[in-house]
Amino acid sequence: MTNLQLTALNSRFYAPCTAHGEKIRNLHAMIDTGSNVTAVRSDICQDLSLLHAGTLPMGCVHGAHADMLVQRYFCTITLGKKDRRIIVYELGKLVEGGNAIDAILGLNMLEGCRMTLDWERMEGTLEV
């Protein structure tokens, strides 16, 4: 098992990871345990030449977006020493506190990990 130190910004936690396609890219990824899927910014998916896994109509949990067609790609993500080949969903550009978010890690990437979050100190570790 490897312990990754998480960073915190605006009450959200982030983990360093890498995405593998025709190239390898380091990612600044937000952790979202409320999501079942992992999403990667669309420009990164294109830059890595990820293999297309189809289009899926989706809606968001609060109903503001319904029946949006989302592109999906096959991608290997490395988190610590853990490699997982998963389907990632295309993500638009997100900026948090002036920093671009490259990816959102959902449960399909985080399952089997142990996370410790100290909300008072805004410190966290992810055991993978």
Side-chain angles (χ1 to χ4, degrees), residues 11-125:
S11 299
R12 292 180 179 88
F13 288 92
Y14 299 84
C17 60
T18 57
H20 306 256
E22 287 186 8
K23 303 175 190 174
I24 297 174
R25 171 109 178 233
N26 292 327
L27 303 178
H28 177 66
M30 183 173 70
I31 293 182
D32 184 358
T33 58
S35 176
N36 291 325
V37 300
T38 293
V40 176
R41 253 186 20 227
S42 58
D43 62 313
I44 295 172
C45 293
Q46 299 307 313
D47 184 51
L48 295 176
S49 300
L50 298 179
L51 182 63
H52 192 256
T55 303
L56 185 69
M58 292 188 67
C60 64
V61 69
H62 47 76
H65 306 97
D67 298 325
M68 295 174 46
L69 292 178
V70 179
Q71 304 301 317
R72 303 178 311 152
Y73 300 91
F74 293 103
C75 183
T76 298
I77 301 221
T78 302
L79 187 59
K81 294 183 180 179
K82 175 183 178 178
D83 291 327
R84 183 166 281 169
R85 182 162 170 83
I86 59 174
I87 290 179
V88 298
Y89 289 68
E90 183 178 61
L91 176 68
K93 186 175 181 179
L94 290 177
V95 176
E96 182 71 43
N99 295 316
I101 298 171
D102 299 326
I104 297 174
L105 300 178
L107 293 179
N108 64 337
M109 189 61 210
L110 297 171
E111 69 181 2
C113 297
R114 178 176 293 158
M115 193 172 358
T116 304
L117 303 176
D118 182 336
W119 291 97
E120 184 177 353
R121 292 184 182 93
M122 291 308 294
E123 297 174 348
T125 57

